[in-house]
Amino acid sequence: MTDTDVAHAPPGVTERIEGYLSEMGPSWVAGAIAAGPATIASLVTAGAAFGYQLLWVVVLSAGAGALAQYLAMRLGLLTERGIVAVVEDTLGESWAWLLVADAVIAAGVAQLVIMKTVATVSATVTGVDARVWGVVWALVLALGLAGRGYRFLELAAKLLVSLVVVAFVASLFVVPVDAGAALTGLVPSVPTGGALVAAGILGGAVHITLITMHSYTMRSRGWTRENYDAATFDIGASMLVAFGVYSLAIFLVTASVLTSADLSTVGAAQALGPLVGPSAKWLFLLGLWGAAVSTLGGNTIVPPFLLADKLGWGTTIEDSRYRALLVAVALLSAPGAFIGGAVLGQLVLVLALGTVGTPFAIAIVLYLLNSGAVPDRNSTLANVGGVALLLVTGALAANFVREQVAGGVGALSGFVLAFAVALALAMLGLGGKYARDELGS
């Protein structure tokens, strides 16, 4: 073999992996949202209230999250467009607006509660009033995202998610874990009162905001079909590995030590101190702070992406209208720091509410991946996985709605019920449309 042949030889596995590692990014933004305080709240509640019984849901969530991101990645790369524009061209304007409304409601409600968590943790660490921190963080978001754009967010997401994973994994070394008891939690079962928590855990990984934003983050990175392998590696590293390790570490720590499900996320960190030492407390608190900040930044870009795409605007800061949307969402998150009540229950409810909206987003993605919108239709294996994901998220969403209604139909449960019914009808309509299209062809 000549020197020229060696120079033009295909790169080996090591070189390819090194290349993928250097290119990672878009899925880490989704991972930053998934690895957030709402997920921590669900994991804390699950571990403290039910011990190891919901470990199977924790394990399932990482795989399900990776699968959902993979399907969203395929749609984004094969069309090289934002999901809203593809929906509008393929299904029509009404379907596009319904998807936008679904995602914006879920992301908007989450933004306020996430800001409350960021401000609360910041106040605990510094002693400065949480409401002051709410205003400070809103300004930091507005200046950072509107001034530096997507690449600033991507870099922050990779750094903070890595920090969070390290912090929570380190906490495992100072907390005793009963491995034998943990193994029993791998047997699927939902204890009485556990449906909301299970929906919250899965909702952290398989969420409408993560599914809808992925096509836009890849476009911001400049990825096309040629980056398919790198994009797949990106999902495996961020969602399957980093998010999976993160979720397992938090769940095992809380299931092993905590016994009260009434703790706030900050309260859970503080409770670890007298039980297993100050190191566990500060590691948990540091991880919670990093997760809250990274999630706040990632979640902020979701409504601007979708609205700008629907209105035909650009989805980068070069378009002043998109930049204005970024600033507006960032500043409107500040009131979250003024919300009263215990943040733990609010965070779990936010994720569960997102779970209600997620099956519709999955159905939309599956429809588009099996239509003329993409040049290469889904494989049978990808469709089987997508349908399984749809059924699991749908069942958990239905259980959550049933629990809410069982407690009496008030203002909140009534809204959740109406939201769920509207999206269920939309999914039935989408299924009927797909069946007619297939029969017609």
Side-chain angles (χ1 to χ4, degrees):
M1 180 179 288
T2 66
D3 292 341
T4 301
D5 292 330
V6 173
H8 291 87
V13 174
T14 301
E15 288 78 5
R16 286 203 302 272
I17 292 177
E18 289 176 350
Y20 294 158
L21 288 172
S22 65
E23 294 175 5
M24 287 191 309
S27 193
W28 286 81
V29 178
I33 298 178
T39 298
I40 294 177
S42 296
L43 293 167
V44 167
T45 302
F50 306 108
Y52 297 107
Q53 291 184 70
L54 291 176
L55 178 59
W56 68 275
V57 181
V58 178
V59 175
L60 174 66
S61 69
L67 175 59
Q69 287 303 109
Y70 174 76
L71 294 173
M73 177 211 80
R74 276 185 53 79
L75 180 63
L77 289 186
L78 293 178
T79 61
E80 297 184 4
R81 303 176 67 196
I83 187 173
V84 173
V86 178
V87 169
E88 185 164 3
D89 286 351
T90 307
L91 293 169
E93 187 172 18
S94 297
W95 289 98
W97 273 121
L98 183 58
L99 179 64
V100 170
D102 186 9
V104 169
I105 288 173
V109 172
Q111 185 77 0
L112 294 173
V113 182
I114 293 167
M115 174 58 88
K116 177 179 179 180
T117 306
V118 173
T120 301
V121 177
S122 300
T124 302
V125 173
T126 65
V128 177
D129 190 277
R131 291 166 294 186
V132 174
W133 274 113
V135 175
V136 169
W137 280 116
L139 291 173
V140 169
L141 275 179
L143 293 173
L145 294 177
R148 299 289 300 280
Y150 168 76
R151 294 310 291 266
F152 165 77
L153 175 63
E154 184 183 286
L155 177 61
K158 286 190 283 189
L159 289 174
L160 287 172
V161 170
S162 299
L163 169 68
V164 167
V165 172
V166 169
F168 284 123
V169 169
S171 66
L172 281 176
F173 290 93
V174 294
V175 172
V177 176
D178 187 338
L183 287 175
T184 63
L186 293 175
V187 179
S189 66
V190 179
T192 303
L196 173 59
V197 182
I201 294 173
L202 191 63
V206 186
H207 197 277
I208 183 171
T209 56
L210 311 183
I211 296 169
T212 54
M213 76 180 291
H214 203 45
S215 57
Y216 300 101
T217 53
M218 289 190 299
R219 290 183 69 203
S220 297
R221 186 60 183 269
W223 280 2
T224 65
R225 299 174 200 177
E226 296 180 357
N227 302 102
Y228 196 97
D229 290 342
T232 303
F233 182 89
D234 192 39
I235 290 170
S238 62
M239 291 299 298
L240 196 59
V241 177
F243 177 77
V245 171
Y246 154 94
S247 299
L248 278 173
I250 297 171
F251 178 81
L252 291 175
V253 166
T254 55
S256 301
V257 179
L258 301 181
T259 57
S260 173
D262 296 326
L263 292 169
S264 67
T265 47
V266 176
Q270 293 172 329
L272 291 174
L275 291 173
V276 288
S279 296
K281 167 190 171 181
W282 285 106
L283 284 169
F284 200 91
L285 198 59
L286 177 64
L288 173 60
W289 178 83
V293 173
S294 65
T295 301
L296 185 66
N299 195 74
T300 302
I301 68 174
V302 176
F305 269 150
L306 297 169
L307 286 169
D309 194 20
K310 181 63 192 73
L311 296 171
W313 300 349
T315 53
T316 65
I317 58 173
E318 279 70 31
D319 191 316
S320 59
R321 297 167 297 185
Y322 171 76
R323 187 189 293 117
L325 282 175
L326 272 178
V327 172
V329 174
L331 296 179
L332 287 173
S333 63
F338 295 79
I339 297 175
V343 71
L344 182 64
Q346 294 168 351
L347 285 168
V348 176
L349 187 60
V350 161
L351 272 188
L353 180 61
T355 301
V356 172
T358 298
F360 176 68
I362 296 173
I364 286 284
V365 170
L366 285 174
Y367 180 98
L368 295 175
L369 286 173
N370 289 280
S371 72
V374 296
D376 300 314
R377 288 195 172 196
N378 249 6
S379 65
T380 300
L381 182 61
N383 280 331
V384 169
V387 171
L389 195 60
L390 182 62
L391 292 175
V392 170
T393 55
L396 288 174
N399 282 334
F400 164 61
V401 172
R402 184 161 52 248
E403 280 193 359
Q404 289 294 300
V405 174
V409 180
L412 179 60
S413 58
F415 171 76
V416 171
L417 179 61
F419 187 53
V421 169
L423 292 177
L425 291 174
M427 288 174 60
L428 289 174
L430 191 64
K433 178 175 174 55
Y434 181 75
R436 290 194 301 272
D437 291 344
E438 286 298 297
L439 290 173
S441 62

